[in-house]
Amino acid sequence: MVNSQILEDQYPQWIINWANYIVRQHPMSEELQETSLKLISEVLDASLQGDSCILQEQDTTQHLGSLCLSELQAQASQVAPFVYDDEYLYLYRYWQLEQRLAQQVIRLKQQKILAIDLKDFDDLLNDIHQKNALKMVAENAFNIITGGPGTGKTYTLARIIAVLHQTLPDLRVAMAAPTGKAAQRMGEALQKSLTDPKLEPFGLHLDLFTPVTIHRLLGLGHQHIPRFHLKQPLPYDVIVIDEASMLDLNLATLLLEAVPEQCRLILLGDANQLASVDVGSVLADLQNVKMLQQNQVNLVNTHRFKQDAAIGKFANFIQQQKQHIQLSDHVLKDFEQQVVAASEIIPIALNSEMNDFIQLEYLPENIQPQALEGYYQKLSAGFSSYFDALKTYLADTMSTQHVQTVIQAFDQYRILSAVHHGVLGLRTINSEIEKALFKAIPQLYKQGDWYVGRPVMMDYNDYQLGLSNGDIGVCFKHRQYADQFEVYFPSLDKWVLASRLPKSIQTAFALTIHKSQGSEFKHTMVVLDASAQKLLSQELLYTAITRAKTVVSLLVEENAFYKALTVATQRKSGLVKKIKT
């Protein structure tokens, strides 16, 4: 085999191993082997970045020989590791997923559906964009409703569902989101919207359509084979997907293939947020498809934030940076003039009457060990109400009446980081907050990794336990056996014995920004140190700050913050070109 030492500085070892393995299966000259290794490694590495393909000249792909198919060969059901299609080189899997997804988008776009007369519902909505969203859903099977925080996506959805429920008899509605937390938030937002006096005559209540994860909706089990699919579609008349920016290529394909005929599909989301963790940027791609211009409405008027509110101004500042590039000092100076000046982060007492608030503190590029304790104290201060709620719970150990108070206090605040490792990475922060908790409540004790107040997050789907990747729970004393622990998952209203949960389950005082998608907290602390620079983007920062309803605290290194304000990510995909009629 050729020497692949030159690749080791560029790619992870597993990529090099796979590239070598693939080339070994197809004998070729040493010169071609070297070229092929580089090309294969580039395609595999691109998938780690979320790209479904790479831009490549056709002459170069010919070095792959029988490893690579043309578009026509792939469409004729031939199979090989790679496909070259219209300037793009794909892994076969992602080429096929794009083909399948494009076919389903076209099918739903062309679907004829019974239009609804809206003349009796003109007073339900006042915002022109929200009215346009209602009109779109009344006339189309395929619908995309986007908008930033506070633009009324759920408010508009509640009224859309009310109109459909009133005009279509025996309406079957499914509501889902990519994660358990996003589904919980969707349910809470819908419940609030349904209490509007204007909707009382419609007789709607959340029990008619309790939101679930997309995995549960599709019946995805241990073998990752969905119960509902192209030949066995979902039994619904309306399917609503919230947080659609989190849809990856695979999940979006499985979902759309399961949408039945004569069904309205509504995708809700904010394309300015992070794309999915896995390959694909489906929502952003769909918004760029010319034939879907009549199937999408963007809500632009913010109703959550007051005029000139800080978080709204922050989000708008990020969007403005996409229009032009400035020098580092100008961007940061503009931010301090237009949004908030740098100072020192202080504890914030949350209350229902306060205006939204932002505070910014710069970290040094190289943090001295003696300074770390002070930063950890700043991070743990946001959990003071949570610590107090746990003390109250422990003082009345045989009662579960304080569980909801503990959950509510925990959901007020969260630390968001971009990295797992380092002195301000996820693992260290979680460990330090745990220390602060034990210092605040000395009577706490550990049983293995478990203790009262430990927040945890699932990092994979466990179908036996009925838990999904991203579900968050809090550990309490067992309700019957004082010497055991059990974990309450509020998004599912479910208790699980702590000993049944996997040892790999993650403590969740702090989350990665990716994992925070679909969540909402009163106060978010965003931590970006120098080690995070390579991972930062406008989408990452936008997602982090829009998790907050009231307070955003920024503990950031200057150069890292500059990158987060100015670097836009653009995933490579051929999906837009494939959706054509």
Side-chain angles (χ1 to χ4, degrees):
M1 193 63 227
V2 298
N3 187 350
S4 58
Q5 183 66 41
I6 57 173
L7 301 176
E8 291 183 1
D9 293 335
Q10 294 179 270
Y11 304 112
Q13 187 60 48
W14 73 265
I15 286 181
I16 299 170
N17 292 343
W18 267 108
N20 276 295
Y21 174 80
I22 294 170
V23 170
R24 274 199 301 266
Q25 310 311 305
H26 297 262
M28 57 183 72
S29 70
E30 188 166 327
E31 182 181 349
L32 288 181
Q33 285 179 340
E34 198 68 46
T35 305
S36 298
L37 273 174
K38 293 177 182 178
L39 204 52
I40 293 170
S41 298
E42 187 178 348
V43 175
L44 293 174
D45 187 60
S47 69
L48 291 182
Q49 316 310 318
D51 298 329
S52 62
C53 53
I54 63 172
L55 195 62
Q56 197 60 244
E57 295 289 340
Q58 188 170 11
D59 290 346
T60 308
T61 64
Q62 290 175 352
H63 293 142
L64 293 171
S66 61
L67 288 171
C68 185
L69 301 174
S70 69
E71 175 191 2
L72 292 177
Q73 289 173 317
Q75 288 177 344
S77 300
Q78 294 187 44
V79 178
F82 303 96
V83 177
Y84 184 74
D85 180 358
D86 194 19
E87 299 184 306
Y88 292 119
L89 180 64
Y90 292 83
L91 283 168
Y92 180 87
R93 165 178 165 76
Y94 297 128
W95 176 86
Q96 187 188 53
L97 284 172
E98 281 192 359
Q99 289 288 112
R100 288 164 55 189
L101 181 56
Q103 289 171 6
Q104 296 311 310
V105 171
I106 293 168
R107 173 178 71 90
L108 292 173
K109 164 66 179 177
Q110 296 176 339
Q111 178 80 11
K112 301 298 181 185
I113 205 143
L114 179 64
I116 295 171
D117 188 347
L118 298 176
K119 68 175 183 295
D120 295 331
F121 306 103
D122 193 57
D123 62 342
L124 270 183
L125 292 161
N126 297 317
D127 185 300
I128 184 60
H129 303 289
Q130 295 175 353
K131 281 179 174 286
N132 289 339
L134 172 59
K135 184 175 185 296
M136 173 181 67
V137 177
E139 298 173 353
N140 294 278
F142 189 69
N143 307 275
I144 302 170
I145 302 174
T146 57
T151 52
K153 294 188 293 293
T154 307
Y155 174 90
T156 305
L157 174 66
R159 281 149 177 75
I160 289 172
I161 296 300
V163 171
L164 295 176
H165 193 267
Q166 183 87 354
T167 54
L168 301 173
D170 304 317
L171 189 72
R172 300 166 300 171
V173 179
M175 297 201 178
T179 67
K181 189 64 179 179
Q184 180 193 10
R185 261 200 65 212
M186 185 185 191
E188 292 168 352
L190 272 170
Q191 184 66 60
K192 182 178 179 180
S193 294
L194 293 176
T195 59
D196 191 305
K198 276 191 174 183
L199 296 185
E200 283 184 11
F202 294 90
L204 295 177
H205 50 88
L206 195 59
D207 292 343
L208 293 172
F209 29 72
T210 302
V212 297
T213 64
I214 298 174
H215 285 79
R216 289 194 178 94
L217 177 69
L218 296 176
L220 278 163
H222 292 284
Q223 305 299 320
H224 301 285
I225 298 173
R227 178 186 172 194
F228 297 101
H229 44 76
L230 198 57
K231 295 182 180 179
Q232 178 65 45
L234 289 159
Y236 297 105
D237 306 301
V238 179
I239 297 172
V240 182
I241 304 298
D242 198 11
E243 297 291 350
S245 64
M246 298 170 69
L247 281 173
D248 60 71
L249 190 55
N250 180 59
L251 191 57
T253 301
L254 295 178
L255 172 68
L256 266 65
E257 286 182 339
V259 176
E261 302 296 316
Q262 302 301 313
C263 175
R264 285 175 168 86
L265 175 66
I266 304 173
L267 301 179
L268 297 176
D270 183 351
N272 292 314
Q273 288 189 33
L274 281 166
S276 60
V277 175
D278 292 320
V279 170
S281 52
V282 174
L283 182 64
D285 283 346
L286 293 178
Q287 287 186 272
N288 288 321
V289 175
K290 188 174 181 180
M291 65 174 279
L292 294 179
Q293 294 308 301
Q294 302 303 314
N295 299 78
Q296 56 183 291
V297 169
N298 185 42
L299 307 181
V300 297
N301 297 320
T302 301
H303 304 280
R304 178 195 300 175
F305 303 119
K306 297 177 182 177
Q307 189 173 13
D308 294 328
I311 297 176
K313 286 170 67 176
F314 193 169
N316 289 334
F317 185 88
I318 296 171
Q319 298 310 308
Q320 290 167 11
Q321 303 316 303
K322 293 187 176 182
Q323 309 303 319
H324 54 275
I325 299 174
Q326 302 180 39
L327 296 175
S328 173
D329 57 341
H330 289 171
V331 172
L332 298 180
K333 285 177 182 177
D334 286 350
F335 180 84
E336 293 199 40
Q337 290 174 357
Q338 297 177 31
V339 183
V340 65
S343 57
E344 187 172 334
I345 286 175
I346 59 173
I348 302 294
L350 298 173
N351 64 74
S352 59
E353 302 300 321
M354 68 187 298
N355 292 327
D356 66 322
F357 181 74
I358 295 173
Q359 50 183 346
L360 166 67
E361 179 177 343
Y362 285 128
L363 290 164
E365 185 174 356
N366 296 304
I367 304 173
Q368 298 303 311
Q370 61 268 27
L372 283 171
E373 185 59 34
Y375 292 127
Y376 296 144
Q377 288 176 4
K378 291 176 189 286
L379 296 177
S380 63
F383 283 115
S384 59
S385 295
Y386 178 59
F387 294 174
D388 290 341
L390 283 170
K391 289 176 185 176
T392 303
Y393 165 81
L394 288 166
D396 191 4
T397 55
M398 299 308 293
S399 172
T400 59
Q401 64 178 328
H402 301 297
V403 167
Q404 288 303 322
T405 303
V406 170
I407 295 295
Q408 289 168 8
F410 177 62
D411 276 344
Q412 285 189 340
Y413 173 71
R414 201 71 86 251
I415 303 164
L416 305 183
S417 175
V419 296
H420 287 270
H421 305 287
V423 294
L424 287 175
L426 199 68
R427 293 182 181 179
T428 301
I429 291 174
N430 277 317
S431 176
E432 292 297 328
I433 304 302
E434 184 177 293
K435 290 178 185 177
L437 173 60
F438 276 82
K439 184 176 180 180
I441 312 177
Q443 66 267 37
L444 282 181
Y445 67 93
K446 266 191 173 185
Q447 185 173 305
D449 291 328
W450 294 101
Y451 52 88
V452 169
R454 182 192 181 194
V456 292
M457 181 181 64
M458 289 292 291
D459 59 358
Y460 70 95
N461 297 319
D462 190 314
Y463 301 103
Q464 186 174 5
L465 292 177
L467 298 174
S468 298
N469 187 1
D471 283 344
I472 291 178
V474 175
C475 181
F476 295 93
K477 288 189 175 183
H478 197 286
R479 289 164 294 169
Q480 292 179 305
Y481 307 107
D483 61 339
Q484 296 185 39
F485 294 116
E486 59 183 341
V487 177
Y488 178 63
F489 291 86
S491 65
L492 305 170
D493 191 19
K494 185 185 185 93
W495 291 87
V496 179
L497 197 64
S499 60
R500 294 192 65 199
L501 291 167
K503 290 186 179 295
S504 64
I505 199 165
Q506 302 172 4
T507 301
F509 291 109
L511 304 175
T512 62
I513 297 170
H514 274 94
K515 287 289 189 180
S516 75
Q517 280 186 279
S519 299
E520 188 175 84
F521 314 102
K522 286 188 177 180
H523 181 186
T524 61
M525 172 78 78
V526 183
V527 182
L528 306 174
D529 67 358
S531 67
Q533 286 193 38
K534 291 183 179 179
L535 302 173
L536 299 178
S537 68
Q538 294 169 335
E539 293 79 10
L540 194 82
L541 182 60
Y542 179 91
T543 299
I545 68 162
T546 55
R547 300 310 90 206
K549 292 179 66 176
T550 309
V551 178
V552 174
S553 298
L554 298 161
L555 189 60
V556 295
E557 192 272 330
E558 284 191 64
N559 291 326
F561 190 44
Y562 166 71
K563 286 204 169 185
L565 285 169
T566 58
V567 174
T569 55
Q570 184 71 46
R571 287 190 171 178
K572 292 185 179 65
S573 161
L575 181 61
V576 174
K577 288 186 177 182
K578 287 182 173 64
I579 302 174
K580 51 182 181 269
T581 54

